[in-house]
């Protein structure tokens, strides 16, 4: 360890019930809703006699909604006779007759009739002004289909006499006019990013048109599938141990049970104990591609470990020697070609290794009075910043040449943001400031009440994870500059402990602790979801594999690196008896 002293119901239409009429007639059912048959959606006819109608149970609004959703889904599957029976027995309708007529005219490309339908739909809209937008979308489709068919004069007439007089979305009209120059239909579809005349583009058009109509008139497309997908996503978000990518479709999940991830799939069980270091292990870090782990120790060595892609077991690949002061911090270059090693407070040197060849490319020291204890790579992979607590930090190239320097900053930890310009530095004033080497400006971003021992930043650059002396682990929003969460459980004094984001989508946070444990939290919850035991001294650093979300490593003063993964393949009774993990919910 390193010590550091710093909609409601519509009015019921008065229309007659079906009594010997043709199948295309409109009918009134027990709940007062209309139906229309043979017009693209199933008929929803009801028994003709008033006595039968009166016997029907009045459905609640939610029941009607569910029936309509089921009907829409069945209709999409082509089970139209089943939908007919469902609507007939329930007395519901899938959509307003005017909407059904409109749908059919759009899908059949009968644009004049579809425009005429808008007048009937206008009275049913929340915003009658939406008719102009809907008409614009219809005419745009009509215009593109004329162009695809080679009917340039007709398309030009639509553009000049119908679209332009709407005085809506002039910028789009200019773009549409440019399509007149397309050499062929393939060119048109490519430039317009359009599927071409047919069912696909007209279905997409209907999806857009529907957004202007109340759901009581026309249901949003694929509404049941949307609701089910939202339910699955919500269950996944609430699952404390969800650590894998979930397909956006529904085919990969069961809708018959709630989504629950087994804790046995979570990286909480010791897979390996690496004992090759012969003294305290101060730092470990997986490469950006997840294929290697680098560890630095008080024993003055850096060990590169290879990750087996199949078994996820680690084996020693090479040892980098010569760090007289010990290795307290490591940073992989963005392409994983290089690795920079820094030492503890009294170390004025920095080493830059070529990982592939094992050769030392640069050994840098600006002054024997410096301390170079932290480093961060610029996203371009050609520059890095380094500094320490003796009042300076530098920007250098791969050969260690000094490009810029910032004096008067006692640096504890550094990070380069994705913009390639901003460097974040935590200092002895219990803050993180942003420094811009291009315009030589700096600004305060985070202010804590206690020393910041280390920090790391999420991949998207939005969140910062801080280990704060005597306080534990804090999560900050760098954009809004607010403290988001304080995580509980970890023991953090004045030793330098490094925490990390990890898991799929960086949904989890892990940190070492002075009580010899590794703590894991879900990012949204302040209470730990797991405490990993096994180390016998302070855990200085935790690194989560950025590619394999079920693989994690921790480095400790006990001289070991523990590799954590899912539970071994055992029956449930045996697995429950595994040691090395306490779960807190």
């Amino acid at each position: 360890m390193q010590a550091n002293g710093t909609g409601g119901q519509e009015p019921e239409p008065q229309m007659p019930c079906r009594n010997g009429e043709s199948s295309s007639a409109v009918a009134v059912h027990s709940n007062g809703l209309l139906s229309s048959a043979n017009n693209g959606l199933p008929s929803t006819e009801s028994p003709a006699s008033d006595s039968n109608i009166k016997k029907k149970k009045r459905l609640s609004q939610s029941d009607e909604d569910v029936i309509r959703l089921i009907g829409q889904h069945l209709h999409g599957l082509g089970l139209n006779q089943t939908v007919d029976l469902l609507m007939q027995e329930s007395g519901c309708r899938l959509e307003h007759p005017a909407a059904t007529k409109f749908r059919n005219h759009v899908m059949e490309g009968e644009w004049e009739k579809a425009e005429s339908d808008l007048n009937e739909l206008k009275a049913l809209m929340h915003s009658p002004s939406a008719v102009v937008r809907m008409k614009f979308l219809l005419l745009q489709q009509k215009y593109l289909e004329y162009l695809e068919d080679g009917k340039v004069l007709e398309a030009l007439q639509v553009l000049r006499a119908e679209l332009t007089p709407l005085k809506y979305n002039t910028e789009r009209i200019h773009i549409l006019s440019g399509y007149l120059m397309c050499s062929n239909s393939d060119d048109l579809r490519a430039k317009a990013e359009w599927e071409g005349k047919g069912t696909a583009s007209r279905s997409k058009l209907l999806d857009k048109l529907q957004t202007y109509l109340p759901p009581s008139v026309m249901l949003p497309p694929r509404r049941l599938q949307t609701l089910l997908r939202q339910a699955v996503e919500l269950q996944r978000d609430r699952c404390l141990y969800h650590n894998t990518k979930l397909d956006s479709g529904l085919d990969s999940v069961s809708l018959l049970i709630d989504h629950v991830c087994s804790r046995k799939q979570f990286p909480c069980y010791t897979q390996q104990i690496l004992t090759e270091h012969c003294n305290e292990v101060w730092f470990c870090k997986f490469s950006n591609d997840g294929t290697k782990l680098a560890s630095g120790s008080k024993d003055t060595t850096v060990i590169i470990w290879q990750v087996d892609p199949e078994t996820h077991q680690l084996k020693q690949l090479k040892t980098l020697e010569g760090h007289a002061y010990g290795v307290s911090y490591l940073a992989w270059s963005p392409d994983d070609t290089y690795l920079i090693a820094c030492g503890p407070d009294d170390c004025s040197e920095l080493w830059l290794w070529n990982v592939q060849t094992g050769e030392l490319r640069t050994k840098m020291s600006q002054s024997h009075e410096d301390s170079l204890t932290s480093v961060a790579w610029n996203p371009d992979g050609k520059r890095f910043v380094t500094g320490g607590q003796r009042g300076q930090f530098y920007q250098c190239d791969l050969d260690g040449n000094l490009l810029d320097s910032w004096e008067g900053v006692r640096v504890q930890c550094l990070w380069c943001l994705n913009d390639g310009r901003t460097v974040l530095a935590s200092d002895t004033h219990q803050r993180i400031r942003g420094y811009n080497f291009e315009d030589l400006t700096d600004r305060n971003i985070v202010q804590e009440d206690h020393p910041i021992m280390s920090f790391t930043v999420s991949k998207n650059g939005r969140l910062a994870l801080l280990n704060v002396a005597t306080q534990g682990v804090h999560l900050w929003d760098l954009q809004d500059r607010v403290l988001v969460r304080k995580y509980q459980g970890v023991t953090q004094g004045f030793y330098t402990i490094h925490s990390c984001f990890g898991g799929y989508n960086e949904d989890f946070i892990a940190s070492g602790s002075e009580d010899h444990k590794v703590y894991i939290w879900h990012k949204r919850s302040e209470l730990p979801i797991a405490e990993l035991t096994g180390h016998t001294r302070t855990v200085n650093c935790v690194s989560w594999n950025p590619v394999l979300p079920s693989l994690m490593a921790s480095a400790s003063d006990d001289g070991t690196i523990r590799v954590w993964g899912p539970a071994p393949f055992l029956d449930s009774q045996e697995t429950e008896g595994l040691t090395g993990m306490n779960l807190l919910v």
Side-chain angles (χ1 to χ4, degrees):
M1 69 183 72
Q2 300 176 70
N4 193 316
T6 65
Q9 293 272 5
E10 299 174 25
E12 297 186 358
Q14 299 299 314
M15 301 188 71
C17 294
R18 183 178 65 86
N19 187 5
E21 300 180 35
S22 68
S23 61
S24 61
V26 175
V28 175
H29 299 300
S30 58
N31 58 3
L33 296 176
L34 292 170
S35 73
S36 179
N38 295 336
N39 50 15
L41 282 172
S43 66
T44 53
E45 301 170 345
S46 63
S49 69
D50 291 338
S51 60
N52 284 341
I53 293 177
K54 292 178 181 179
K55 290 179 182 179
K56 287 185 178 293
K57 179 183 177 181
R58 180 75 178 185
L59 297 174
S60 67
Q61 183 63 55
S62 62
D63 286 338
E64 289 182 8
D65 291 346
V66 170
I67 290 172
R68 292 181 67 204
L69 291 173
I70 294 172
Q72 183 193 44
H73 182 69
L74 295 176
H75 173 63
L77 297 176
L79 304 177
N80 293 335
Q81 291 184 351
T82 303
V83 180
D84 280 343
L85 292 174
L86 175 63
M87 296 300 154
Q88 179 178 327
E89 187 171 3
S90 65
C92 295
R93 68 178 181 198
L94 285 182
E95 57 188 21
H96 195 281
T100 301
K101 185 169 60 173
F102 179 64
R103 177 192 299 278
N104 291 336
H105 289 153
V106 170
M107 291 304 296
E108 292 165 10
E110 298 181 351
W111 306 117
E112 286 74 15
K113 292 181 180 179
E115 287 182 55
S116 177
D117 295 336
L118 290 178
N119 295 325
E120 189 174 350
L121 290 170
K122 183 176 182 179
L124 303 172
M125 296 180 192
H126 295 313
S127 174
S129 62
V131 169
V132 175
R133 302 171 199 165
M134 296 178 73
K135 188 173 183 180
F136 184 91
L137 291 172
L138 285 173
L139 293 173
Q140 177 180 251
Q141 179 79 12
K142 179 181 177 181
Y143 168 78
L144 291 173
E145 291 194 7
Y146 273 147
L147 280 182
E148 187 180 47
D149 289 339
K151 299 178 179 179
V152 179
L153 292 179
E154 289 87 342
L156 191 58
Q157 177 68 14
V158 172
L159 189 68
R160 290 177 175 175
E162 298 183 74
L163 275 168
T164 302
L166 289 178
K167 296 181 180 180
Y168 175 76
N169 203 345
T170 305
E171 182 179 348
R172 178 61 180 167
I173 290 177
H174 289 319
I175 295 173
L176 291 173
S177 64
Y179 298 153
L180 288 165
M181 307 302 294
C182 291
S183 57
N184 52 54
S185 58
D186 290 337
D187 187 27
L188 171 66
R189 288 192 291 268
K191 289 182 178 177
E193 297 179 350
W194 180 60
E195 291 82 357
K197 178 179 179 180
T199 302
S201 65
R202 291 173 181 175
S203 294
K204 283 191 174 183
L205 171 62
L206 267 175
D207 290 351
K208 293 178 183 177
L209 292 167
Q210 183 279 323
T211 61
Y212 298 104
L213 296 171
S216 57
V217 176
M218 179 186 286
L219 281 174
R222 299 167 294 280
R223 182 60 183 161
L224 182 59
Q225 292 97 315
T226 299
L227 290 172
L228 292 173
R229 186 171 61 251
Q230 289 173 350
V232 170
E233 289 174 354
L234 179 61
Q235 290 177 19
R236 179 200 63 190
D237 291 341
R238 290 181 176 178
C239 177
L240 289 176
Y241 302 107
H242 182 76
N243 194 28
T244 57
K245 182 178 181 180
L246 189 66
D247 293 337
S248 58
L250 298 174
D251 293 338
S252 60
V253 299
S254 172
L255 300 177
L256 305 181
I257 57 173
D258 287 345
H259 170 85
V260 178
C261 287
S262 170
R263 67 187 190 185
K264 299 168 189 174
Q265 301 169 354
F266 208 67
C268 292
Y269 301 89
T270 301
Q271 306 291 302
Q272 278 182 281
I273 302 175
L274 308 178
T275 60
E276 278 72 7
H277 284 294
C278 57
N279 210 324
E280 298 174 359
V281 188
W282 286 340
F283 199 83
C284 65
K285 183 71 173 179
F286 280 105
S287 59
N288 298 293
D289 64 6
T291 63
K292 297 178 182 67
L293 176 75
S295 58
S297 169
K298 188 178 180 181
D299 67 9
T300 73
T301 67
V302 174
I303 297 180
I304 307 297
W305 311 84
Q306 184 73 45
V307 180
D308 188 294
E310 299 298 328
T311 65
H312 298 176
Q313 292 287 298
L314 274 66
K315 66 178 181 179
Q316 186 173 350
L317 185 63
K318 62 186 66 176
T319 301
L320 311 177
E321 300 178 336
H323 304 270
Y325 296 88
V327 179
S328 61
Y329 195 84
L330 297 164
W332 292 89
S333 63
D335 63 359
D336 295 325
T337 299
Y338 299 106
L339 182 72
I340 294 179
C342 296
D345 286 345
D346 53 352
C347 178
S348 61
E349 297 176 336
L350 170 151
W351 297 265
L352 191 156
W353 297 88
N354 185 313
V355 179
Q356 295 174 349
T357 65
E359 296 177 359
L360 179 64
R361 170 162 178 167
T362 304
K363 184 177 180 180
M364 190 194 93
S365 178
Q366 292 297 323
S367 167
H368 292 297
E369 297 179 356
D370 282 347
S371 67
L372 302 182
T373 58
S374 185
V375 67
W377 284 91
N378 188 286
D380 65 12
K382 299 176 181 178
R383 296 170 288 164
F384 61 86
V385 289
T386 182
Q389 292 202 2
R390 296 183 183 173
Q392 75 300 308
F393 70 96
Y394 309 107
Q395 182 169 230
C396 307
D397 64 16
L398 295 179
D399 295 317
N401 298 315
L402 182 64
L403 303 177
D404 294 288
S405 65
W406 210 292
E407 301 295 331
V409 182
R410 298 182 182 273
V411 173
Q412 175 68 15
C413 195
L414 291 162
W415 195 274
C416 292
L417 292 184
N418 295 331
D419 62 11
R421 301 185 302 274
T422 306
V423 177
L424 302 183
S426 60
D427 57 30
T428 53
H429 296 284
Q430 305 168 3
R431 65 190 179 183
I432 295 177
R433 291 178 66 79
Y435 298 86
N436 189 315
F437 277 108
E438 292 186 1
D439 56 20
L440 300 180
T441 59
D442 60 302
R443 59 194 176 98
N444 205 41
I445 297 178
V446 169
Q447 182 66 60
E448 284 280 0
D449 296 327
H450 297 80
I452 300 170
M453 308 311 297
S454 70
F455 76 92
T456 187
V457 177
S458 60
K459 289 180 181 178
N460 61 12
R462 179 69 184 264
L463 301 173
L465 193 61
L466 284 61
N467 282 71
V468 184
T470 73
Q471 302 301 300
V473 180
H474 292 179
L475 183 68
W476 280 79
D477 186 314
L478 296 176
Q479 182 173 313
D480 295 337
R481 303 184 194 181
V482 295
L483 177 62
V484 177
R485 202 156 282 117
K486 295 180 179 181
Y487 297 102
Q488 302 178 25
V490 68
T491 303
Q492 169 74 68
F494 288 90
Y495 293 112
T496 300
I497 293 176
H498 300 273
S499 57
C500 68
F501 294 96
Y504 178 72
N505 201 34
E506 291 194 328
D507 284 336
F508 302 97
I509 285 167
S511 177
S513 176
E514 292 179 24
D515 64 2
H516 314 167
K517 298 177 182 179
V518 174
Y519 286 82
I520 301 178
W521 301 266
H522 195 287
K523 194 162 57 179
R524 296 192 307 270
S525 175
E526 295 184 356
L527 295 176
I529 62 172
E531 298 175 10
L532 313 189
T533 60
H535 285 296
T536 57
R537 293 181 63 189
T538 296
V539 180
N540 298 308
C541 183
V542 181
S543 180
W544 212 307
N545 192 296
V547 177
L548 304 171
S550 61
L551 189 63
M552 189 172 63
S554 57
S556 170
D557 280 349
D558 64 13
T560 70
I561 300 165
R562 282 188 174 249
V563 181
W564 307 90
F569 183 72
L570 302 171
D571 62 43
S572 59
Q573 190 171 11
E574 289 175 306
T575 305
E576 292 297 329
L578 286 174
T579 59
M581 174 180 178
N582 295 320
L583 287 156
L584 306 175
V585 178

